[in-house]
Amino acid sequence: MSEQTQSQGQAENTSALFPTYARFPITMVRGEGSKLWDDQGKEYIDFASGIAVTNLGHTPKRVRDRLVEQLDQLWHVSNLFHIPNQEALAGLLTANSFADAVFFCNSGAEANEAAIKIARRYNAKILGTNRYEVITFNSSFHGRTLATLTATGQDKVKEGFHPLPQGFVQAPYNDVEALQSYVNENTCAIMLEFVQGEGGVIPASPEFIQEVVRLCEEHNLLLIADEIQTGMGRTGKLFAYEHYNVEPDIMTLAKGLGSGFPIGAMLGKAKLREAFSAGSHGTTFGGTPIATAAGMATLEMMLEDKLADRAAEMGTYIQAKLNEKLGGNPLVRSVRGLGLLIGIDCTVPVAGLVSKMHEQGLIVISAGPNVIRLLPNFLVQVEEADQAVAIIGSVLAEHAAVAEGSVSK
Ligand SMILES: *Cc1c(COP(=O)(O)O)cnc(C)c1O
């Protein structure tokens, strides 16, 4: 695409797409490993991985080969029939997590919808209560359907969409003292991200998680872990709950589960199984043979090559390098995160800085107005990491110097 048609396509009212995204002025056409190339032939190091999606790098051969094999066999069969790939992926997921049963869908929001629905139905059908309220947290992100945007603790996703479904309340995140006061006779579940992703890369404190678990036990509430961003090795363990030595009752996955092929999953403990009896929930595309082939190849590669460990190692390496490079930069408040979910918390809005990094050949994204978010793939090479840190360091140093200059003038 020429630059002209590209910019015309992005101009207001000329694109045939709804303008739901503020897109960067870059058109990627090819990817391999940590590298991306745009339509001008420019090469980038990818430190966003979609948004925590291409965790094994772009076009990983093992997943690609499995997909091609499946493409030649069978693309789609309805959930009115048995789908062996679904059974296999569910078996692998349950063997490697707290969970005993899996429901497949196509996205994160759908996985969270399934989690909310099963939490309510478990209370109605199994426990025989009419409890329905789900406690979620300020600055959380759970998706864009009506229920999941209501669960989300950010007002901007709710604007103009009222009336919203009932049964959600937001509590302050990491506030051990306050949480108890949000539990009432209608509460059925507490839903959280162990590290808030979109909300600014904010890990839960261990004391906070202990309090969440204590309240769940005391009031027989379900703990729903939204691991859509943190799951599949991103934080240096296969699932982020493992860092906290606790077990949720329900977990949702999507982003990294299919290496870029759309797939979501809701996983639950055995006690929840009968809450989703035949006919109570469903989806046409969920767990299609192709999607679950992508999931199988992804998870097998993760497990066999111990890629969660590699994410932990590279996360430690990159965070240390960043601290070294950015220490003393007045624009940087802190570097934080878990594994390869890393945030650089800045004292200034980061949108301009993110674009500068793109110009220098590094793809990063933001998480909220002031945090630069880094989500490299788990096979990122040390030289690539060093190059990325160098770009981040120089863009931030340059901006700090400019800011300094404008203050002293
Ligand atoms: C991305 C994300 C979602 C929504 O997933 P979609 O696939 O965009 O619907 C939900 N929760 C968390 C934590 C996420 O990061």
Side-chain angles (χ1 to χ4, degrees), residues 18-143:
F18 277 108
T20 43
Y21 308 101
R23 295 179 199 270
F24 297 116
I26 301 174
T27 304
M28 298 299 183
V29 294
R30 194 161 74 83
E32 193 186 323
S34 307
K35 298 282 166 57
L36 282 168
W37 290 270
D38 71 11
D39 59 352
Q40 312 295 307
K42 179 171 168 166
E43 183 179 295
Y44 302 83
I45 299 172
D46 185 5
F47 260 42
S49 305
I51 302 176
V53 169
T54 54
N55 289 351
L56 310 180
H58 291 280
T59 58
K61 186 168 182 324
R62 182 157 176 180
V63 182
R64 181 237 174 240
D65 289 351
R66 185 70 189 82
L67 277 173
V68 168
E69 196 185 319
Q70 189 62 48
L71 279 170
D72 285 335
Q73 287 172 7
L74 180 65
W75 295 12
H76 177 80
V77 62
S78 83
N79 278 307
L80 300 173
F81 296 88
H82 291 284
I83 300 177
N85 285 354
Q86 266 188 38
E87 298 282 351
L89 180 54
L92 206 54
L93 284 168
T94 52
N96 288 283
S97 71
F98 72 94
D100 304 298
V102 184
F103 174 84
F104 288 110
C105 52
N106 312 288
S107 68
E110 270 179 90
N112 282 341
E113 283 275 343
I116 295 159
K117 284 181 72 175
I118 204 170
R120 285 188 180 179
R121 208 171 148 93
Y122 173 73
N123 273 266
K125 298 284 177 185
I126 310 289
L127 298 183
T129 78
N130 44 25
R131 302 187 302 175
Y132 60 87
E133 197 166 87
V134 180
I135 299 173
T136 64
F137 295 95
N138 294 344
S139 67
S140 62
F141 183 81
H142 297 297

Side-chain angles (χ1 to χ4, degrees), residues 107-109 112 141-143 193 198 226 228-229 254-255:
S107 68
N112 282 341
F141 183 81
H142 297 297
E193 299 157 271
E198 306 300 310
D226 179 343
I228 290 164
Q229 189 154 161
K255 292 195 164 84

Side-chain angles (χ1 to χ4, degrees), residues 190-266:
I190 300 178
M191 176 166 169
L192 59 80
E193 299 157 271
F194 281 89
V195 183
Q196 289 190 331
E198 306 300 310
V201 189
I202 306 169
S205 71
E207 306 76 51
F208 178 62
I209 295 302
Q210 286 312 319
E211 175 67 357
V212 168
V213 168
R214 186 188 74 77
L215 286 169
C216 285
E217 279 168 6
E218 184 180 327
H219 299 277
N220 197 16
L221 311 176
L222 296 168
L223 174 54
I224 305 174
D226 179 343
E227 295 241 19
I228 290 164
Q229 189 154 161
T230 55
M232 297 304 291
R234 175 52 59 187
T235 67
K237 303 252 188 212
L238 191 54
F239 305 111
Y241 70 81
E242 298 170 37
H243 289 284
Y244 294 83
N245 292 314
V246 298
E247 275 189 0
D249 300 290
I250 297 170
M251 171 168 75
T252 52
L253 300 175
K255 292 195 164 84
L257 182 53
S259 292
F261 201 94
I263 177 170
M266 185 278 291

